[in-house]
Amino acid sequence: MLIVIFSMIIFFLLLPIKYVIDIKINNGIKIKFRVSYLFGLVKFDNTKKKLKDKSCKKNSSVISKLNKKNSNGENKFDIKFLSIIFKFIRELIKKLRPQKIIINGQIGFDDPCYTGYACALENIFGIRTNIKYNFEQEIFDLHLYFRTQICALFFLLFMLKYIFAFIKCNFFEVI
């Protein structure tokens, strides 16, 4: 009986988690995020819509946490902590790299020179898109679609590795 339960747990951990991110940018940003598991039987959908804001607001809470000092007058965040954060972000991007990327839309800046720069960036990075460049008028209308899957067991082990690294450098005491 124990072998059957253990094999069922391993089976569920080896099933892939599929996720899709669908972003539309036009007079605001609309983001659809969909995660499915167990061949689509378990789904999570989330949609957020944000209108473009002209004012530039600064998130001071993050900056204040980074500038906190301990009793000796030294920053609580050290280089080791920051290197763990950057390594975590880099490896997370590698693990969650999309298998399918579709970019459609139309881009045009007020200065045709900037539109040309955007066109050049597409060719420099080797990204194949369906973007139409408008050199005559200012327009920004994009549709980005990312899809990939990751094995639940490998993602769980990846997250545990960095949780223990954060505990080791006393991350949770700082915040």
Side-chain angles (χ1 to χ4, degrees):
M1 182 69 174
L2 188 61
I3 295 172
V4 172
I5 293 173
F6 183 72
S7 63
M8 292 283 288
I9 291 172
I10 295 297
F11 174 73
F12 284 116
L13 285 176
L14 291 177
L15 288 176
I17 299 172
K18 297 179 182 179
Y19 72 89
V20 174
I21 301 172
D22 192 8
I23 303 171
K24 293 180 182 174
I25 304 171
N26 185 10
N27 296 332
I29 300 172
K30 182 180 178 185
I31 302 172
K32 283 177 74 174
F33 184 75
R34 184 174 62 237
V35 178
S36 64
Y37 184 63
L38 290 174
F39 307 110
L41 295 175
V42 179
K43 291 183 183 178
F44 170 75
D45 289 331
N46 192 4
T47 303
K48 297 211 178 218
K49 188 171 188 176
K50 182 177 179 182
L51 296 174
K52 287 186 181 178
D53 190 12
K54 299 290 182 186
S55 64
C56 181
K57 296 181 181 176
K58 193 175 187 181
N59 190 354
S60 61
S61 64
V62 174
I63 294 171
S64 65
K65 284 182 183 178
L66 287 174
N67 290 330
K68 280 187 180 178
K69 299 187 184 293
N70 60 12
S71 60
N72 298 339
E74 302 170 350
N75 275 342
K76 289 186 176 183
F77 288 101
D78 58 352
I79 300 299
K80 183 179 179 184
F81 172 75
L82 290 175
S83 67
I84 291 172
I85 290 288
F86 289 130
K87 187 176 179 183
F88 171 74
I89 291 170
R90 185 176 62 235
E91 287 188 23
L92 185 66
I93 290 171
K94 284 182 183 177
K95 295 262 186 223
L96 298 178
R97 186 176 329 165
Q99 295 171 340
K100 184 174 186 179
I101 301 173
I102 299 173
I103 303 175
N104 295 320
Q106 190 173 15
I107 294 177
F109 295 101
D110 56 348
D111 187 359
C113 179
Y114 296 129
T115 306
Y117 291 150
C119 183
L121 284 176
E122 176 186 357
N123 293 321
I124 288 173
F125 291 117
I127 302 170
R128 297 294 167 227
T129 63
N130 294 327
I131 296 178
K132 295 175 182 150
Y133 295 98
N134 192 334
F135 290 92
E136 296 172 2
Q137 64 180 353
E138 184 175 358
I139 187 167
F140 196 77
D141 182 20
L142 283 179
H143 180 220
L144 307 147
Y145 177 85
F146 305 101
R147 185 183 74 197
T148 194
Q149 62 186 21
I150 186 168
C151 181
L153 177 67
F154 296 127
F155 189 69
L156 181 68
L157 292 174
F158 170 76
M159 293 303 288
L160 285 175
K161 172 181 151 184
Y162 280 101
I163 287 172
F164 289 128
F166 288 146
I167 291 171
K168 187 176 178 182
C169 74
N170 298 327
F171 170 70
F172 295 109
E173 291 177 9
V174 173
I175 294 178

